[in-house]
């Protein structure tokens, strides 16, 4: 069976304890590989390699760092097919999605920061009294990057690329649920000639390997994407050591549909924003608010569309939704459907686990649509992170704003209307780090990315990510 290895000091190595965890293929519900169950000792080795590499990498001209990263991006593109298949196998997502989104975005992330670092401006301030100030942006040192399972290589590279491009050395941990593409990526780093120790990938559980990274006294900054509960633990630990921290956390995003929207465009995109990646995207719009005048029309059309929304083998070209990522996660999502029923919700479509012929043990579930729940019940307040949406009617702008802003989260929001003024009023008043008007999931990598309230702290994207991974030092000179 395939044994995934840690990537430390430029080499693929076993964990010190030589113990491994099972890694499942969710589309079959079967173990198909093993991953290192790394601990403190592995993180210590990774830290030492990163610390040894730091001075050399930080003083390498940024054009040279950029050249190596661009080579890495090219290698991702050259291995597109293998990486996409690995992602679909490891995560359960449809192969078409991995090919179209996950893998191209991984190389785009690296290419973006490889070039951004060359153009990242600095500041200077001149004083009439004969002083001038300029700002050095210096790499922090050894930093930690921890990522989740829903967009494995996509989010892993989104953190690592700005960290390395800025001259830091990294100890990184992908999710233990989806480690495979990070392992393949480590092989590409070797092929690209990334100097040893610049990036170290330690596989294992959050509570052991992840915690060892966060708690390490000399790992000076943590960039984390994952659940809000984990983010809270990490924020507390980082506070004790005054570590720089960036947290991209959960969401419970509103999709707000006014009756003057372009109905067909809205319907097509709402199908995606509800169920893409089995609803396991932090930006999915799981609360759908529909203005009264088109509520029935929307409901009928949406459910009609779902009848041909095929769930099945991720490798089948007809498949729109693959398997959920794990048995535990499937059970969690199904428990929310049970909760919705207890709370008085009516299941309009789906709601059940699905058995797929030839893949009987896979973690499949029907796309699920629920109505009849108040905006403030648990189903409408807690993140489910699966193929489950609720439909909630509303009358006025003010009413839907109060519903939309009622959760502890504030990651993204989508608004559908043809009225430009209304769209902009909504955008201004929504509690969200990202607002999409008449579109969804469109990303310009230069723009700020992140959430308000319990959806996160800080922003990624563009120069903001490079600035997170550097310390600005003001130098004041008398002349
Ligand atoms: P998670 O918080 O369980 O795990 C994320 C990562 O943190 C994993 O690598 C895990 O091993 C590690 N981890 C867990 N406990 C840890 C600890 N105590 N110390 C250090 N590391 C620890 O999240 P998940 O289930 O993998 O991902 C789903 C969540 O991620 C959802 O809430 C989703 O909304 C969120 N998410 C947010 C964004 C965003 O950009 N805001 C993007 C994707 C996913």
């Amino acid at each position: 069976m395939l044994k995934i290895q840690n990537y430390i000091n430029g080499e693929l190595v076993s964990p010190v304890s030589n113990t491994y965890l099972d890694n499942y293929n969710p589309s079959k519900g079967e173990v198909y590989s093993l991953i290192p169950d790394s601990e403190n000792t592995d993180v210590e080795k990774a830290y030492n390699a990163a610390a040894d590499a730091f001075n050399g990498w930080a003083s390498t001209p940024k054009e040279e760092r950029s050249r190596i990263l661009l080579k890495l991006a090219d290698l991702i593109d050259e291995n597109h097919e293998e990486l996409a298949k690995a992602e679909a196998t490891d995560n359960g997502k449809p192969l078409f999605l991995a090919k179209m989104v996950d893998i191209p975005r991984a190389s785009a992330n690296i290419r973006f920061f490889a070039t951004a670092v060359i153009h990242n401006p600095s500041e200077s301030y001149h004083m009439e009294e004969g002083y001038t100030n300029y700002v050095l942006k210096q790499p922090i040192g050894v930093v930690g990057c921890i990522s989740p399972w829903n967009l494995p290589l996509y989010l892993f590279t989104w953190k690592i690329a700005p960290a390395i491009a800025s001259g830091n050395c990294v100890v990184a941990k992908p999710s233990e649920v989806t480690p495979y593409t990070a392992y393949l990526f480590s092989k590409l780093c070797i092929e690209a000639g990334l100097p040893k120790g610049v990036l170290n990938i330690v596989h294992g559980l959050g509570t052991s390997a992840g915690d060892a990274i966060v708690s390490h006294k000399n790992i000076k900054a943590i960039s984390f994407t994952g659940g809000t509960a984990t983010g809270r633990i990490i924020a507390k630990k980082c506070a004790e050591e005054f570590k720089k921290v960036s947290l991209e956390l959960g969401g419970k995003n509103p999709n707000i549909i006014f009756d003057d929207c372009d109905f067909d465009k809205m319907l097509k995109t709402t199908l995606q924003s509800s169920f893409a990646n089995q609803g396991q995207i932090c930006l999915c719009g799981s609360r759908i608010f529909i203005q009264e005048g088109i509520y029935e029309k929307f409901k009928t059309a949406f459910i009609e569309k779902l009848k041909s929304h095929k769930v099945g083998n991720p490798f089948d070209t007809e498949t729109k939704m693959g398997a959920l990522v794990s048995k535990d996660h499937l059970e969690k999502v199904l428990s929310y459907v049970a909760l919705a029923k207890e709370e008085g919700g009516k299941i309009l479509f789906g709601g059940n686990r699905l058995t797929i012929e030839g893949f009987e043990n896979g973690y499949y579930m029907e796309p699920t649509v629920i109505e009849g729940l108040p905006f403030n019940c648990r189903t409408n307040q807690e993140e489910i992170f699966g193929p489950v949406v609720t439909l909630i009617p509303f009358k006025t702008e003010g009413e839907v704003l109060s519903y939309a802003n009622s959760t502890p989260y504030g990651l993204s929001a989508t608004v559908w209307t043809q009225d430009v003024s209304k769209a902009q009023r909504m955008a201004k008043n929504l509690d969200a780090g990202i607002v999409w008007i008449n579109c969804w999931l469109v990303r310009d990598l230069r723009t700020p990315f992140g959430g308000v309230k319990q959806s996160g702290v800080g922003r990624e994207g563009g120069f903001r990510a490079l600035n997170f991974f550097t310390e600005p030092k003001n130098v004041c000179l008398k002349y």
Side-chain angles (χ1 to χ4, degrees):
M1 189 174 294
L2 168 74
K3 259 191 188 173
I4 286 171
Q5 301 284 270
N6 287 334
Y7 169 55
I8 297 178
N9 207 23
E11 288 174 9
L12 300 172
V13 293
S14 305
V16 174
S17 66
N18 212 25
T19 52
Y20 286 80
L21 304 161
D22 289 339
N23 184 31
Y24 282 79
N25 171 342
S27 73
K28 296 186 176 163
E30 284 171 3
V31 176
Y32 82 104
S33 65
L34 298 172
I35 77 160
D37 185 6
S38 306
E39 299 169 348
N40 276 335
T41 41
D42 301 285
V43 169
E44 195 56 35
K45 275 176 65 185
Y47 167 76
N48 288 333
D52 287 349
F54 177 65
N55 283 340
W57 184 244
S59 55
T60 299
K62 50 187 174 313
E63 291 75 8
E64 172 62 6
R65 297 199 299 258
S66 173
R67 190 193 61 75
I68 296 170
L69 287 171
L70 289 173
K71 168 102 174 105
L72 189 53
D74 288 346
L75 285 171
I76 292 178
D77 290 345
E78 284 165 30
N79 291 275
H80 176 260
E81 185 77 19
E82 185 194 2
L83 288 165
K85 284 183 178 157
E87 208 70 292
T89 306
D90 214 22
N91 173 280
K93 68 178 68 210
L95 180 61
F96 89 84
L97 195 67
K99 281 186 173 176
M100 199 173 78
V101 177
D102 294 75
I103 308 307
R105 181 55 193 278
S107 58
N109 286 338
I110 294 182
R111 212 165 267 129
F112 178 85
F113 287 111
T115 48
V117 73
I118 296 177
H119 304 287
N120 192 10
S122 188
E123 302 147 71
S124 65
Y125 303 92
H126 306 287
M127 300 162 75
E128 286 69 30
E129 303 88 340
Y131 298 90
T132 193
N133 296 273
Y134 60 90
V135 180
L136 294 176
K137 290 184 179 175
Q138 297 179 307
I140 299 173
V142 178
V143 300
C145 297
I146 301 177
S147 59
W149 50 255
N150 64 324
L151 299 163
L153 192 61
Y154 171 136
L155 288 173
F156 196 56
T157 50
W158 179 237
K159 300 189 169 303
I160 287 168
I164 291 178
S166 312
N168 300 281
C169 292
V170 176
V171 179
K173 194 192 87 62
S175 170
E176 62 274 29
V177 186
T178 53
Y180 192 20
T181 47
Y183 170 61
L184 297 176
F185 178 71
S186 54
K187 293 183 175 186
L188 299 181
C189 291
I190 297 171
E191 201 180 330
L194 190 69
K196 63 180 189 173
V198 170
L199 172 63
N200 304 275
I201 302 177
V202 180
H203 292 275
L205 299 173
T207 45
S208 46
D211 183 62
I213 296 173
V214 173
S215 306
H216 197 288
K217 294 260 183 275
N218 296 320
I219 294 182
K220 293 181 183 159
I222 299 291
S223 173
F224 170 79
T225 298
T228 293
T230 315
R232 185 169 281 120
I233 295 170
I234 291 177
K236 282 185 188 159
K237 295 212 164 168
C238 289
E240 278 170 28
E241 296 294 328
F242 302 101
K243 282 186 197 195
K244 229 177 164 181
V245 65
S246 161
L247 302 171
E248 299 296 341
L249 310 176
K252 184 77 177 174
N253 311 308
N255 177 9
I256 301 169
I257 302 169
F258 285 98
D259 55 15
D260 62 355
C261 69
D262 179 328
F263 192 85
D264 293 342
K265 278 193 194 146
M266 173 281 296
L267 190 65
K268 189 164 173 254
T269 306
T270 292
L271 201 65
Q272 292 166 356
S273 65
S274 302
F275 300 117
N277 208 36
Q278 299 70 249
Q280 301 166 145
I281 302 180
C282 54
L283 306 162
C284 278
S286 54
R287 294 179 295 150
I288 309 182
F289 297 103
I290 310 119
Q291 203 163 17
E292 264 184 356
I294 58 164
Y295 185 84
E296 288 303 322
K297 180 181 170 191
F298 172 81
K299 184 167 110 180
T300 310
F302 192 53
I303 289 187
E304 193 52 41
K305 284 255 183 214
L306 283 179
K307 290 180 186 158
S308 55
H309 202 70
K310 191 173 168 228
V311 182
N313 171 13
F315 283 74
D316 186 339
T317 51
E318 301 291 296
T319 293
K320 296 279 192 302
M321 267 174 53
L324 271 69
V325 77
S326 68
K327 185 163 179 284
D328 283 354
H329 190 60
L330 171 69
E331 283 166 2
K332 178 192 151 189
V333 176
L334 288 170
S335 79
Y336 270 101
V337 177
L339 172 71
K341 287 183 195 162
E342 272 170 40
E343 291 185 317
K346 181 177 169 201
I347 312 294
L348 293 176
F349 192 90
N352 303 302
R353 184 173 182 168
L354 265 179
T355 306
I356 305 291
E357 207 186 322
F359 295 80
E360 284 76 6
N361 295 322
Y363 313 131
Y364 299 94
M365 181 178 168
E366 294 170 307
T368 299
V369 184
I370 304 170
E371 75 168 352
L373 288 171
F375 75 93
N376 56 358
C377 68
R378 278 185 58 203
T379 309
N380 277 328
Q381 292 287 313
E382 296 176 16
E383 185 184 44
I384 301 175
F385 212 55
V388 178
V389 294
T390 55
L391 309 189
I392 306 159
F394 70 91
K395 285 193 180 72
T396 65
E397 212 178 303
E399 181 191 9
V400 76
L401 255 178
S402 69
Y403 293 170
N405 288 344
S406 67
T407 76
Y409 296 104
L411 189 52
S412 71
T414 306
V415 179
W416 292 94
T417 177
Q418 295 292 86
D419 178 339
V420 179
S421 304
K422 184 162 57 185
Q424 298 200 40
R425 281 195 302 274
M426 291 296 291
K428 182 173 164 232
N429 292 320
L430 280 162
D431 292 347
I434 302 150
V435 178
W436 281 292
I437 299 168
N438 298 329
C439 59
W440 177 71
L441 209 65
V442 179
R443 287 277 300 128
D444 178 327
L445 301 189
R446 295 169 297 183
T447 60
F449 180 89
V452 301
K453 301 200 290 195
Q454 295 188 15
S455 287
V457 174
R459 293 290 182 278
E460 297 183 323
F463 294 134
R464 284 172 191 80
L466 295 175
N467 291 343
F468 173 76
F469 285 113
T470 48
E471 285 289 4
K473 181 190 283 173
N474 188 64
V475 181
C476 180
L477 171 77
K478 168 119 180 77
Y479 61 88

